[in-house]
Amino acid sequence: MGDYGHPLTFGSFLTPGNADPERVVGLAVLAEQLGFDLVTFQDHPYQPAFLDTWTLMSFVAARTGTVRLAANVTNLPLRPPAVLARSVASLDLLSGGRVELGLGAGAFWEAIEAMGGRRLSPGQGVRALEEAIDVIRQVWDVDARGGVRVDGEFHRVVGAKRGPAPAHDVGIWLGAYKPRMLALTGRRADGWLPSLGYLQSGDLARGNAVIDEAAREAGRSPGDVRRLLNVTGRFAPVGRGPLQGPAEQWAEELADLALSDGISTFILGSDDPEDLRRFAAEVAPAVRDLVAAERTAATAPAAPEPVTARAVPAAQPRPAAGALAVVPTPDDGVRRSAIRVWDESTRPTGPAPDPTRAYPAHDQANARHLVDVHDGLRAELARLHDLVEQVGAGLVDAGTARSHINTMTIRQNKWTLGTYCESYCRVVTTHHTLEDRGLFPHLRGADPRLAPVIDRLEQEHHAIHDVLERVDRALVAFVSVSDGMAELRAAVDLLSDTLLSHLAYEERELVEPIARLGLH
């Protein structure tokens, strides 16, 4: 139990309502643009107010390019496993390996039975699910000899041809709560996917214990099972309970779930675009930082025993293992815009590092943190450029249902792009504000020799703010005139030049001081 060490991922859990089909598709597209790893949808085939989940996932897969997709969770009693296996593999191939398979044994049996499904007891449902997993894995195993053969109590397949194989190793995640389902998860599944709202205090720890024991008995490692969790809550200025408060509170609570209960995928249940933006921009990065810091501290080697001058002469250099291994990201010199908002040749430099100094793992993690945050901003900037080019090329549209109405397509393109630009600009501003109010004063006070560098970085923050305002003005023009693409592209190019140059300069000057002086 505890932290299983899986990389953290974040997803959204959307309602597939059919009253406004374009809305749920737009939310899925927005989730990708915000940097979510995963988009999931409820699967209730008996619900007439919902779109069919697999049809919706296929449509969303065609409208997105990077985000992974899954049903949360697939209603197995109404989806024959052999057919489901081929549906999953087909969509995985069509989407470039972006589909995962959430599975449930079934609930709402009256509705299932009304749709032609067979009503099962809890025990029967677990046995049927295990048989279904066997069918699905055999269909995907195209290298095995012979046809698919499962002669089960609930699912019988007698020689069906295998295939197609998915584009990647599709994870099978089970929505499990009771001991038999939890044990099945440990024996056969790749992930455990419960909802926090259905759990009582201690249920995560108890569920992990059952899964871990079943995994070991099956000859597996408990770490073979990823722990995912659907979460819901409310953002508020003041904390009023679990996941009821500011983003900082959310981050601390989710980080605790990651470190104490092994949760590595958090899936937000919300159809509110603002919730999605805050979760992606404020909560997810903070959770990653908190968990990374704890993991680094937990794995850092113990401090060595003191040595005498006789064992290590004073003139002997520090061991290479303590050298600063965090490499600042260099400026590649590429500039997209003819405008220059500052003279890079006038940038001051800080004190030269002490070549004999050793940096413990914890100190190096502090420096790595700055580069990681900047890498996130660089990735988002690349995604922003890509989105601008997609809009310019007409690749982002309002959906096939409206594609013949050119003005509606343009309007949807502009709404999507505007939402993303606005979100990105807010992330950059928040990052700079945190540095100006916390990190910079700490470094300035700890080493006064850094003052000229910090003064310059603060000046560049103000200049970047002006560039962000320029992007905002270009967005206003873009959504209000027939051809605002040229101005918008120029503004985003200038943002790219200034931000990438600034990030490289900041890393060059501050990576070593942060490792030496720590984070405030």
Side-chain angles (χ1 to χ4, degrees), residues 162-241:
R162 298 174 184 266
H168 83 298
D169 290 332
V170 173
I172 296 180
W173 305 333
L174 302 189
Y177 297 92
K178 301 299 183 180
R180 281 177 293 195
M181 278 285 287
L182 292 166
L184 174 60
T185 303
R187 291 195 308 271
R188 303 295 304 277
D190 305 298
W192 178 30
L193 176 54
S195 294
L196 186 60
Y198 293 160
L199 299 173
Q200 301 297 319
S201 177
D203 281 353
L204 282 174
R206 286 186 286 270
N208 279 330
V210 174
I211 291 170
D212 292 355
E213 181 180 2
R216 293 189 188 97
E217 290 177 354
R220 310 175 71 201
S221 166
D224 292 341
V225 184
R226 175 177 280 272
R227 318 301 158 112
L228 310 93
L229 188 65
N230 296 318
V231 299
T232 57
R234 186 174 65 87
F235 290 105
V238 179
R240 299 185 181 278

Side-chain angles (χ1 to χ4, degrees), residues 132-179:
I133 293 173
D134 197 10
V135 171
I136 292 167
R137 293 202 187 279
Q138 286 195 42
V139 170
W140 291 345
D141 186 6
V142 296
D143 295 328
R145 299 183 61 181
V148 177
R149 294 191 176 276
V150 175
D151 188 12
E153 179 183 357
F154 304 96
H155 299 294
R156 186 168 180 267
V157 183
V158 288
K161 294 185 180 298
R162 298 174 184 266
H168 83 298
D169 290 332
V170 173
I172 296 180
W173 305 333
L174 302 189
Y177 297 92
K178 301 299 183 180

Side-chain angles (χ1 to χ4, degrees), residues 266-292:
F266 295 96
I267 304 173
L268 176 66
S270 177
D271 299 317
D272 185 336
E274 186 59 27
D275 285 350
L276 297 179
R277 295 188 189 100
R278 295 198 65 179
F279 193 73
E282 301 175 39
V283 177
V287 175
R288 286 192 172 101
D289 289 347
L290 291 169
V291 172

Side-chain angles (χ1 to χ4, degrees), residues 396-409:
V396 180
D397 56 40
T400 56
R402 298 175 177 173
S403 61
H404 62 287
I405 306 176
N406 186 54
T407 56
M408 292 299 292
T409 299

